[in-house]
Amino acid sequence: CLIGSVHVRRGDGDKALKCYRDSLVMRRLSSGGNGETPEIAETLHSIGNCEAKDGRFEDCLESYNSALEMKRKVFGDVDHVSIAKTEHCIGLALLQLGQYDEALTSFDSSLKARRSQLGQDHLDVAFSLHSIGRIYLHQGNEDEATTCLIESMRIKKLRLPENHVSLAETQHLLGSLYTKKDRHSDSIPMLKSALVAYKSCRDCEVIKSDVLDLLGAAYARIGETGHAILSYEHSLKIKKAIVGREDVACANVLMEIGRLKSAKEDIDGALIAFKEVKRIHKLTYSKNHLKNAELLILVGLIQERLNNEDMALRCFAEALRIRRKLLDSNHRDVAHALVHAGRLFQANGDHFKSYTFLNEAIGIFKNLDETDTDQCADAYRELGRSQLFNGDSESALVSLEKCLDLREGIHGCDSEKWAEIAYDVGIAKFDSGHYDDAADLLEQYVRLQNTFDKADAVGLSNALLHLGKLSVKRRDPDDGLKFFEEALSLRRDLEDNEMAVSEVLFEIGMVRDSKKQYQESLACYEESLALRQSATGEDEETADTISRIGELRRMKGQFDVAMENLSSAIEMYKRTVGESHLSVASTYHSLGYVYDAKDDQKMAMKCHRDGLSVRKILLGGNHVKIASSLDDVAGVYQKQQDHEKALKCLREALRIRKLNLGNDDMEIGKTLFGMGIIFAAIDDNGKAMECYLASIEITAADGTNPKLQAQTLHQIGCVYAARCNYREALKNWRTCLSKYRESGLSDDNYMVACTLGNIEMAESALFSPA
């Protein structure tokens, strides 16, 4: 037996086993017929140890059971340390054979005896607890496993040096459990301690590699990508030395390294790793292996980021084919491949296939009862985007809001994942006219982005841009301007920012324009135009900017420059969006105003008629914009003294507006006022008065345009004066004066001055002596 023990220490199991068997024969012969002694039982135990070390677990169980039976006869049915030792070894053998329930029974019995005979803090108690923890881990009972392993570690720390391999084994096991439970602040220090201990052990290279893999996974989960890559690369070096560079274990680690390098934007490094994985897979697996499908997904994601969408789609489609072939049709990995392929079909404009694939993926998640997962949330997001492209905004909002709800449930509403979808839903709400909901979501998105370590400058600037547009829609241009200025500041810091900066400058120009800050507005438009032209040359938005510049030049009285800008805008619209476009029509009308100001009535009429024709083609004959065009045509006829044609245009405009707006809209009041002016010009004061009275009834009830009320009252006064009814004329002119002042006009304004003159004339006629 002593010689056998020496051979065990030297690692020569075969010689040790021969010695123990010889010893067993000799002891049985010398026992004088009594074949059941403590020494014989211990020799049987030692034989079992040799067999276990050689991986012969069925044989060692037979030896251990013989030893256990003999010990119970020798020592009686009591808690004996020697019996506990054999029970513990039986448990280890059963564990290796996957017989977990039977192993747990043996370990529990051994633990009970050891605690009874050796005390709660004996090292053998720690060994039993460690083994029981392993059983619980295999059975999925993580809470019980954690309790046992923590207690085992406590005892080992009391009894062993800090770098002892046995302590490292418990730290290793507990660290792997914490990693699985995402308790990385606990797992990483524990795994690092285990790794330090294993480094001093010559026979622990495989175990070191396993710890490094766990450390890599833990670092990756907390975003420490650099440390994760270093851990995996160290593990890979060990694996290559032990099993060779062609082993699938190396491929598995390379897969993780490639995944992490891709996340770190080291695309070249990731592709090099994946290329090596592919080489190993070719040596090991058939073409239709699930590992190849996993690799194809990862390569496809990189190709997608490189904008190689066709290549990415081929990768995803092949991965999907393999998974459909080898897995159940409702397997989650099939769903994941469907989501990737659906996203790429959407990017390529094939929204029918995208919709089909994403719907199928969601169906699988529902069948698996896995709708509350990130993968299902991603599918709803991509489905919503596809529906938006198809013009189905209502269904798109349902899908995107479902994604938002899922991410709130999974990550909470203060997370980056939730904010990402809140942005998508906010933009979709804006585009569909749900402005209050859009503002709420985009404001939350902006708030969250400002709390994150690394804000998404592109998304943040776009959210601010939309919030600015919402403020303008709510008639709060000052608030809108603040949002636009913030967005501009962010976009000026972006690379390749010409188009992004140009877009915000255009919006700022529009706000400055509405506030009559024409010089500032013009500066914004001109910078916006220069940036757009440097980036794209010609497009619809460039034409929009040129058109706005032309309109501002017109308002500043720079008619020749304005004419050049507006003509250039029209030609660019025709080249980029075609002749039949609403922007072409509106720019024709702006150009008509320029010709009108230059007193070129012929060209003014041509422009307004061209604008009217384009609008009729696009909108039909009963749209309110047709009425606006008819107003412009009527204005030219009026200047040409062709009052009948002017009236004909205004009557048609009145019909259209009543059809669309009802009888009491302010636009009706304006049209009636214009008709009254023309009737007065042809001395039909009766009809003029009818129009004025109908107009003042609408404008007075509305109350939002005191200036128009004043103008109408002024004209009513003029009709009364023409009839020599100066008392009524004076009454209307005085009310007119009050309304002008209410609207903010000073007495030196030409309209106010005219009314004051009329009042003086009426008072003179009424109150001066004959």
Side-chain angles (χ1 to χ4, degrees):
C1 273
L2 290 172
I3 295 172
S5 300
V6 171
H7 286 307
V8 167
R9 287 194 292 274
R10 290 177 175 177
D12 194 338
D14 290 340
K15 287 183 179 179
L17 183 59
K18 185 177 185 306
C19 288
Y20 288 134
R21 282 176 174 165
D22 288 346
S23 172
L24 179 63
V25 171
M26 293 170 64
R27 280 181 166 166
R28 280 176 171 165
L29 289 172
S30 64
S31 64
N34 179 14
E36 295 177 346
T37 66
E39 292 79 11
I40 292 173
E42 201 58 46
T43 305
L44 284 166
H45 182 97
S46 297
I47 291 171
N49 286 346
C50 290
E51 291 167 334
K53 196 165 186 179
D54 200 31
R56 294 159 51 195
F57 300 112
E58 296 284 359
D59 294 338
C60 79
L61 271 177
E62 186 177 340
S63 299
Y64 286 143
N65 280 320
S66 297
L68 180 62
E69 183 181 355
M70 190 176 294
K71 287 181 180 182
R72 281 177 175 161
K73 287 180 179 178
V74 172
F75 300 119
D77 192 16
V78 295
D79 292 337
H80 195 280
V81 173
S82 182
I83 292 174
K85 179 176 72 172
T86 303
E87 285 179 326
H88 184 82
C89 290
I90 289 171
L92 292 174
L94 290 167
L95 175 61
Q96 292 296 326
L97 292 170
Q99 298 175 29
Y100 302 128
D101 291 339
E102 295 86 343
L104 185 58
T105 300
S106 292
F107 286 136
D108 280 340
S109 180
S110 173
L111 175 64
K112 178 175 174 291
R114 284 174 169 178
R115 278 177 166 164
S116 170
Q117 297 299 309
L118 303 173
Q120 296 287 342
D121 293 338
H122 194 276
L123 195 55
D124 284 351
V125 172
F127 294 151
S128 292
L129 286 165
H130 177 95
S131 298
I132 291 170
R134 288 179 66 190
I135 294 290
Y136 281 135
L137 269 181
H138 283 292
Q139 292 179 331
N141 191 343
E142 294 177 355
D143 291 339
E144 291 291 345
T146 304
T147 301
C148 290
L149 292 170
I150 288 174
E151 179 63 10
S152 174
M153 184 172 68
R154 182 191 69 79
I155 298 168
K156 287 183 179 182
K157 282 183 175 180
L158 287 173
R159 302 299 179 193
L160 297 172
E162 63 178 1
N163 287 339
H164 195 280
V165 170
S166 180
L167 175 58
E169 287 173 345
T170 303
Q171 291 171 325
H172 179 178
L173 207 56
L174 195 53
S176 71
L177 181 57
Y178 284 150
T179 299
K180 185 178 179 182
K181 297 172 78 170
D182 287 334
R183 290 176 55 181
H184 304 300
S185 60
D186 294 321
S187 72
I188 290 173
M190 210 159 285
L191 292 169
K192 288 170 74 175
S193 295
L195 187 62
V196 170
Y198 287 146
K199 281 181 178 177
S200 63
C201 176
R202 287 183 302 172
D203 299 327
C204 293
E205 291 300 297
V206 174
I207 302 174
K208 274 197 288 186
S209 178
D210 181 59
V211 174
L212 286 162
D213 289 343
L214 287 168
L215 271 173
Y219 280 129
R221 293 293 290 273
I222 62 172
E224 293 281 352
T225 308
H227 285 102
I229 291 172
L230 287 173
S231 297
Y232 281 125
E233 286 179 339
H234 192 180
S235 169
L236 179 64
K237 183 178 179 182
I238 294 171
K239 284 180 169 67
K240 284 181 177 178
I242 296 172
V243 297
R245 62 193 298 265
E246 277 78 27
D247 194 271
V248 290
C250 295
N252 292 338
V253 177
L254 280 163
M255 191 99 82
E256 297 305 321
I257 291 171
R259 203 189 307 266
L260 289 165
K261 288 190 173 182
S262 175
K264 204 178 178 185
E265 304 295 332
D266 181 3
I267 302 301
D268 290 340
L271 288 173
I272 289 169
F274 291 147
K275 186 176 180 180
E276 180 66 4
V277 174
K278 183 180 178 182
R279 184 188 70 80
I280 297 170
H281 282 187
K282 274 189 173 181
L283 296 172
T284 312
Y285 302 130
S286 67
K287 182 180 179 182
N288 291 328
H289 196 280
L290 288 173
K291 278 291 185 180
N292 286 330
E294 182 183 358
L295 178 61
L296 284 163
I297 293 289
L298 293 171
V299 173
L301 289 169
I302 287 183
Q303 296 300 334
E304 184 179 359
R305 287 165 64 182
L306 293 172
N307 295 319
N308 297 330
E309 291 172 351
D310 289 342
M311 175 67 76
L313 186 54
R314 286 201 294 273
C315 290
F316 295 145
E318 178 63 7
L320 178 60
R321 183 195 67 77
I322 294 170
R323 287 178 174 177
R324 283 195 194 277
K325 182 181 179 68
L326 299 177
L327 299 173
D328 182 80
S329 60
N330 277 324
H331 196 282
R332 65 178 57 86
D333 286 348
V334 173
H336 295 168
L338 284 164
V339 172
H340 291 310
R343 185 177 63 251
L344 263 292
F345 279 125
Q346 178 201 114
N348 286 346
D350 192 340
H351 301 299
F352 176 77
K353 276 191 177 179
S354 173
Y355 179 87
T356 303
F357 276 44
L358 294 167
N359 251 335
E360 185 182 349
I362 290 169
I364 293 172
F365 289 128
K366 285 180 177 178
N367 289 336
L368 294 171
D369 196 23
E370 293 183 2
T371 53
D372 57 343
T373 61
D374 270 324
Q375 291 78 13
C376 187
D378 291 344
Y380 274 113
R381 183 189 192 188
E382 299 304 331
L383 180 61
R385 289 177 166 181
S386 189
Q387 288 163 331
L388 279 176
F389 278 111
N390 281 329
D392 187 357
S393 57
E394 188 174 335
S395 297
L397 272 174
V398 171
S399 298
L400 290 171
E401 287 179 322
K402 179 65 176 176
C403 176
L404 189 67
D405 289 342
L406 288 173
R407 290 214 172 162
E408 182 174 347
I410 299 166
H411 302 285
C413 57
D414 287 332
S415 64
E416 290 188 46
K417 287 281 191 180
W418 184 88
E420 182 181 58
I421 305 304
Y423 169 83
D424 285 349
V425 178
I427 298 298
K429 292 276 190 183
F430 177 91
D431 292 339
S432 60
H434 297 88
Y435 297 129
D436 289 341
D437 291 343
D440 181 54
L441 286 165
L442 292 174
E443 283 169 359
Q444 289 187 70
Y445 172 81
V446 169
R447 176 184 63 79
L448 288 171
Q449 282 293 328
N450 287 325
T451 67
F452 296 150
D453 292 337
K454 185 178 180 181
D456 175 8
V458 174
L460 183 54
S461 71
N462 205 28
L464 289 164
L465 177 68
H466 280 77
L467 285 169
K469 291 179 179 180
L470 285 166
S471 295
V472 171
K473 286 181 182 293
R474 292 169 169 174
R475 302 182 186 279
D476 189 351
D478 291 333
D479 209 34
L481 201 55
K482 290 177 186 174
F483 284 122
F484 291 144
E485 295 287 1
E486 282 189 67
L488 181 63
S489 176
L490 285 169
R491 290 190 174 187
R492 285 197 188 279
D493 291 334
L494 298 174
E495 294 182 4
D496 301 322
N497 63 355
E498 291 86 355
M499 297 295 287
V501 172
S502 173
E503 182 183 19
V504 185
L505 284 167
F506 184 85
E507 296 297 335
I508 294 173
M510 293 283 281
V511 174
R512 299 287 189 194
D513 198 341
S514 71
K515 292 166 68 70
K516 296 183 169 49
Q517 298 170 351
Y518 298 129
Q519 197 59 41
E520 294 91 334
S521 176
L522 185 60
C524 288
Y525 288 143
E526 287 181 334
E527 185 183 353
S528 174
L529 177 63
L531 289 168
R532 291 200 74 87
Q533 288 179 325
S534 70
T536 64
E538 289 190 358
D539 60 11
E540 181 184 355
E541 288 75 17
T542 305
D544 288 339
T545 311
I546 296 171
S547 179
R548 291 306 306 161
I549 291 172
E551 186 65 13
L552 276 180
R553 296 291 189 192
R554 178 184 73 81
M555 295 173 70
K556 290 167 69 70
Q558 299 170 359
F559 299 124
D560 291 337
V561 180
M563 188 182 299
E564 183 181 334
N565 291 144
L566 293 169
S567 299
S568 174
I570 289 171
E571 293 307 312
M572 190 175 293
Y573 280 132
K574 288 179 178 179
R575 290 192 295 271
T576 56
V577 295
E579 294 187 15
S580 296
H581 194 278
L582 289 176
S583 295
V584 175
S586 61
T587 310
Y588 268 133
H589 284 297
S590 293
L591 187 56
Y593 303 146
V594 174
Y595 281 117
D596 189 13
K598 289 171 68 68
D599 208 24
D600 187 342
Q601 300 305 318
K602 182 180 179 182
M603 285 302 298
M605 179 63 80
K606 181 181 184 306
C607 288
H608 289 315
R609 284 199 170 280
D610 286 345
L612 174 62
S613 297
V614 172
R615 282 178 173 171
K616 279 187 174 179
I617 291 169
L618 296 170
L619 304 173
N622 290 322
H623 195 279
V624 288
K625 284 188 178 291
I626 302 298
S628 298
S629 293
L630 287 166
D631 288 344
D632 292 336
V633 173
V636 178
Y637 278 133
Q638 190 177 353
K639 282 198 171 184
Q640 293 174 341
Q641 302 297 306
D642 195 340
H643 299 301
E644 288 300 323
K645 287 184 179 178
L647 278 171
K648 182 180 179 182
C649 289
L650 290 179
R651 284 190 178 106
E652 178 63 6
L654 184 64
R655 181 194 70 78
I656 293 168
R657 285 180 170 132
K658 285 185 175 181
L659 180 68
N660 287 279
L661 306 173
N663 293 323
D664 300 323
D665 191 86
M666 279 294 291
E667 291 300 314
I668 306 294
K670 292 177 183 178
T671 309
L672 287 165
F673 175 77
M675 291 173 66
I677 295 290
I678 295 175
F679 280 124
I682 60 176
D683 296 324
D684 191 342
N685 288 327
K687 287 186 177 178
M689 182 64 86
E690 286 179 22
C691 290
Y692 292 145
L693 291 173
S695 176
I696 198 69
E697 184 180 352
I698 294 169
T699 56
D702 183 272
T704 60
N705 195 338
K707 182 178 174 182
L708 180 58
Q709 287 183 61
Q711 289 174 298
T712 310
L713 288 163
H714 181 92
Q715 295 302 324
I716 291 171
C718 290
V719 173
Y720 278 122
R723 295 171 177 173
C724 296
N725 187 345
Y726 295 112
R727 193 169 301 279
E728 286 298 324
L730 182 60
K731 177 182 174 183
N732 280 278
W733 284 332
R734 282 175 173 168
T735 309
C736 164
L737 180 62
S738 173
K739 289 294 179 183
Y740 274 141
R741 287 170 174 167
E742 181 186 328
S743 69
L745 297 181
S746 61
D747 286 1
D748 59 357
N749 181 274
Y750 76 95
M751 290 188 292
V752 180
C754 181
T755 302
L756 286 167
N758 286 356
I759 290 171
E760 185 179 348
M761 179 270 293
E763 288 175 341
S764 177
L766 287 169
F767 307 123
S768 295

